[in-house]
């Protein structure tokens, strides 16, 4: 395991390297384009959008933005997307490190829950569970186990439909 030596919020000077990492990690520009759209929106959360560095070189990136959980009322929750690690640094715990640090920051900010569309084998180790277990429904036609939620307070019941900002439908 080769953890990052530093995890910190992204800055504008990091953007070119972040774009490169996402393009290489996903082998397409969609996620990098999504990040640009999120940054331009009012749903972007700079303090929860983090980079991981090794020897001052950015090797990983995680993005959070506010999304809506709609039922009888609408509440802002966190959406985790995307997460990427440069291919040369994958499988070294850097993605896990980014998730763990960001979960701590999200809890401090008192968001009620986080939504992620991702690999259940990876996200389950951080306490994410299928969102249908909480009667929270995905706007995407994906297998139920891939649309997951991390709830910070089980005593509060949150149910409804997730509505992503416009940026997510543009890529």
């Amino acid at each position: 395991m080769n953890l990052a030596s530093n995890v910190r919020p992204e800055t504008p000077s990091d953007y070119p390297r972040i774009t490169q990492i996402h393009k290489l990690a996903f082998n397409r520009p969609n996620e990098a384009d999504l990040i640009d759209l999120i940054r331009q929106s009012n749903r972007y959360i700079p303090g929860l959008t983090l980079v991981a560095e090794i020897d001052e070189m950015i090797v990983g990136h995680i993005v959070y933005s506010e999304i809506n959980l709609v039922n009888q009322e609408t509440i802002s929750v966190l959406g985790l997307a995307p997460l990427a690690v440069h291919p040369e640094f994958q499988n070294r715990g850097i993605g896990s490190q980014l998730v763990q640090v960001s979960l701590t920051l999200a809890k401090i900010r008192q968001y009620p829950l986080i939504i992620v569309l991702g690999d259940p084998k990876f996200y389950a180790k951080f306490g994410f569970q299928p969102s249908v277990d909480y009667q929270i429904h995905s706007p995407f036609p994906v297998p139920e186990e891939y649309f997951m939620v991390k709830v910070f307070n089980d005593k509060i019941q949150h149910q409804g439909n997730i509505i992503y900002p416009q940026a997510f439908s543009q890529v």
Side-chain angles (χ1 to χ4, degrees):
M1 197 175 283
N2 216 357
L3 294 179
S5 54
N6 188 35
V7 174
R8 62 168 175 79
E10 71 174 13
T11 64
S13 65
D14 300 327
Y15 294 175
R17 177 71 176 163
I18 290 167
T19 296
Q20 178 188 36
I21 288 169
H22 283 275
K23 286 180 178 178
L24 290 170
F26 291 101
N27 204 25
R28 63 184 186 190
N30 300 43
E31 286 75 13
D33 293 344
L34 173 60
I35 293 164
D36 288 339
L37 292 170
I38 290 170
R39 285 185 189 123
Q40 295 166 25
S41 78
N42 65 348
R43 308 312 297 263
Y44 171 62
I45 308 170
L48 282 177
T49 300
L50 308 174
V51 295
E53 296 176 313
I54 294 179
D55 298 328
E56 298 183 17
M57 179 177 71
I58 296 171
V59 296
H61 185 244
I62 191 168
V63 179
Y64 283 89
S65 56
E66 288 186 350
I67 60 176
N68 291 330
L69 175 60
V70 178
N71 200 347
Q72 286 133 352
E73 63 179 328
T74 299
I75 62 169
S76 287
V77 300
L78 288 176
L80 187 172
L83 164 65
V85 175
H86 190 288
E88 292 178 18
F89 295 91
Q90 291 177 359
N91 301 310
R92 297 185 188 184
I94 294 167
S96 293
Q97 186 179 12
L98 280 166
V99 172
Q100 195 59 56
V101 170
S102 65
L103 289 178
T104 300
L105 294 172
K107 189 172 184 178
I108 290 168
R109 290 173 179 244
Q110 298 184 332
Y111 281 94
L113 58 91
I114 300 171
I115 295 290
V116 67
L117 174 58
D119 184 350
K121 291 176 190 164
F122 178 75
Y123 288 102
K125 63 186 172 184
F126 303 103
F128 283 86
Q129 299 173 300
S131 66
V132 294
D133 293 354
Y134 291 87
Q135 297 181 25
I136 295 174
H137 307 287
S138 170
F140 310 116
V142 296
E144 290 179 350
E145 65 271 18
Y146 286 87
F147 198 74
M148 305 180 77
V149 62
K150 164 87 174 167
V151 175
F152 287 114
N153 185 347
D154 277 334
K155 295 176 184 166
I156 301 172
Q157 295 295 315
H158 299 288
Q159 301 175 353
N161 297 311
I162 294 296
I163 308 294
Y164 280 86
Q166 184 67 29
F168 285 82
S169 63
Q170 293 179 353
V171 291

